[in-house]
Amino acid sequence: DALAKHQQWCSDLKVVESLCEIYSKAVSSIKLPCASLVPGIVQAVMTIFSVHPHPPCLGVIKVITEVFGSQEGVRDEGVSAALRQALESACQRSLECLQPNMLHQLPELIGELFEMVHTFVMFSPNLLLSSPIIASLFSTATLCVRQRERDPVRASSNFLATLLNPGEKAVQTPIWQASWPTVTKCVEQHGEELVASVLYAVADTCPTHLMKPLGSVLYSMLAAYPGPTQQLIVKVIGRPDYPVGGEGAQVLTEADRQVVCMVATRNPALPKQNFECFIQDIGKVCRRDATGDTLLAYQI
């Protein structure tokens, strides 16, 4: 705690990494019996993060949420109150740093932020879904899937996919039933931006091994909001600058676009694994790693 309050040391990333590793290992080893220590740990790392937003601080909050959380939320009131406050302040401070023109410079912060909030979706959804910060997180995540680095794309796509499709059992719980209108509002406001970000990412920017996880984001949205999602896919595929502007747009022929739209709007939709492969193959065609004939198989 004394170290956490020392400004000179707290500005040093390596020192903070070591401190956060100690906190994380202590919580993950002792688990529930360390509940009385959690508010102090949370306060220490958030004091550092408020001044020096080092990504490892968010990793500590993630570990605490994993240890103390469940689909029904965090049962210990003291831990729950500490995590609620940490979630708000950590997200606000992170989003201050993650302005659109700065995203490419902060891949580690993006990765840790969306790993943390993904953990809240899984283990303490009541704290995240009741927070007004959820809309800003959703909007920022849609931008982050178009980054070129692995961690931002992986973490933001995992967060979005789970938020849109938390699972059949989870979505029936009172927490999700009460909060689903919040998710729906995010989709209404940012759905087209999300569909576009995913499709442009698989066509150009994302690491190739992350095409399927991005396909999972679209599948989750399609499963929850089938009609609107199908319309948005058709709309984005029909853009004259897709997959990239200028002559690059010609790589996807009119016949290819028709096939994509036909498959995307089929009823019933492709099974999840097939749909993810379909999105991956769209990316391969756009990157000239496959021909348009690859897409024809999905019409069967």
Side-chain angles (χ1 to χ4, degrees), residues 45 140 171 189 224 228 238 254 278:
V45 296
T140 301
V171 81
Q189 293 178 339
E254 187 59 34
F278 171 58

Side-chain angles (χ1 to χ4, degrees), residues 145-222:
V145 299
R146 292 192 67 175
Q147 298 303 298
R148 294 185 180 274
E149 293 83 1
R150 177 194 62 188
D151 289 347
V153 178
R154 177 183 51 79
S156 57
S157 60
N158 286 344
F159 164 69
L160 288 166
T162 306
L163 182 68
L164 292 166
N165 186 14
E168 291 183 9
K169 290 184 178 179
V171 81
Q172 297 302 322
T173 61
I175 291 173
W176 279 96
Q177 289 286 306
S179 303
W180 197 248
T182 301
V183 179
T184 299
K185 187 175 181 180
C186 290
V187 173
E188 290 173 349
Q189 293 178 339
H190 305 290
E192 181 174 352
E193 182 182 13
L194 175 56
V195 171
S197 290
V198 168
L199 290 175
Y200 279 96
V202 297
D204 182 36
T205 57
C206 83
T208 54
H209 68 284
L210 292 176
M211 288 181 178
K212 279 191 177 181
L214 284 174
S216 181
V217 175
L218 274 193
Y219 182 84
S220 295
M221 186 170 163
L222 180 65

Side-chain angles (χ1 to χ4, degrees), residues 11-258:
S11 63
D12 190 312
L13 175 58
K14 291 189 178 298
V15 172
V16 174
E17 281 180 338
S18 299
L19 179 64
C20 290
E21 184 178 1
I22 292 171
Y23 281 145
S24 296
K25 285 186 176 180
V27 173
S28 59
S29 299
I30 303 172
K31 298 189 184 300
L32 300 183
C34 77
S36 61
L37 302 177
V38 167
I41 293 173
V42 170
Q43 182 178 6
V45 296
M46 292 316 303
T47 297
I48 295 172
F49 193 76
S50 65
V51 181
H52 306 286
H54 297 307
C57 295
L58 303 182
V60 178
I61 305 303
K62 181 187 74 170
V63 170
I64 294 172
T65 306
E66 288 175 341
V67 169
F68 288 89
S70 69
Q71 274 295 337
E72 288 72 40
V74 177
R75 294 184 176 87
D76 186 284
E77 292 184 2
V79 174
S80 179
L83 286 177
R84 183 184 297 276
Q85 186 173 4
L87 174 66
E88 296 287 341
S89 57
C91 290
Q92 288 177 0
R93 186 69 180 94
S94 298
L95 294 174
E96 287 174 3
C97 299
L98 297 177
Q99 298 300 314
N101 62 334
M102 295 294 292
L103 294 178
H104 66 287
Q105 298 183 24
L106 299 168
E108 294 86 2
L109 181 59
I110 295 172
E112 288 289 355
L113 171 64
F114 286 107
E115 281 191 12
M116 181 191 75
V117 293
H118 179 250
T119 303
F120 273 89
V121 174
M122 298 290 293
F123 297 103
S124 191
N126 60 315
L127 297 183
L128 179 65
L129 296 174
S130 63
S131 171
I133 204 73
I134 186 69
S136 296
L137 287 170
F138 193 100
S139 175
T140 301
T142 63
L143 299 177
C144 291
V145 299
R146 292 192 67 175
Q147 298 303 298
R148 294 185 180 274
E149 293 83 1
R150 177 194 62 188
D151 289 347
V153 178
R154 177 183 51 79
S156 57
S157 60
N158 286 344
F159 164 69
L160 288 166
T162 306
L163 182 68
L164 292 166
N165 186 14
E168 291 183 9
K169 290 184 178 179
V171 81
Q172 297 302 322
T173 61
I175 291 173
W176 279 96
Q177 289 286 306
S179 303
W180 197 248
T182 301
V183 179
T184 299
K185 187 175 181 180
C186 290
V187 173
E188 290 173 349
Q189 293 178 339
H190 305 290
E192 181 174 352
E193 182 182 13
L194 175 56
V195 171
S197 290
V198 168
L199 290 175
Y200 279 96
V202 297
D204 182 36
T205 57
C206 83
T208 54
H209 68 284
L210 292 176
M211 288 181 178
K212 279 191 177 181
L214 284 174
S216 181
V217 175
L218 274 193
Y219 182 84
S220 295
M221 186 170 163
L222 180 65
Y225 308 96
T229 305
Q230 290 174 333
Q231 293 172 13
L232 289 173
I233 293 174
V234 171
K235 184 176 181 179
V236 173
I237 292 296
R239 291 182 180 180
D241 68 340
Y242 184 80
V244 290
E247 294 183 0
Q250 299 172 10
V251 70
L252 202 65
T253 68
E254 187 59 34
D256 295 335
R257 295 173 196 268
Q258 290 176 2

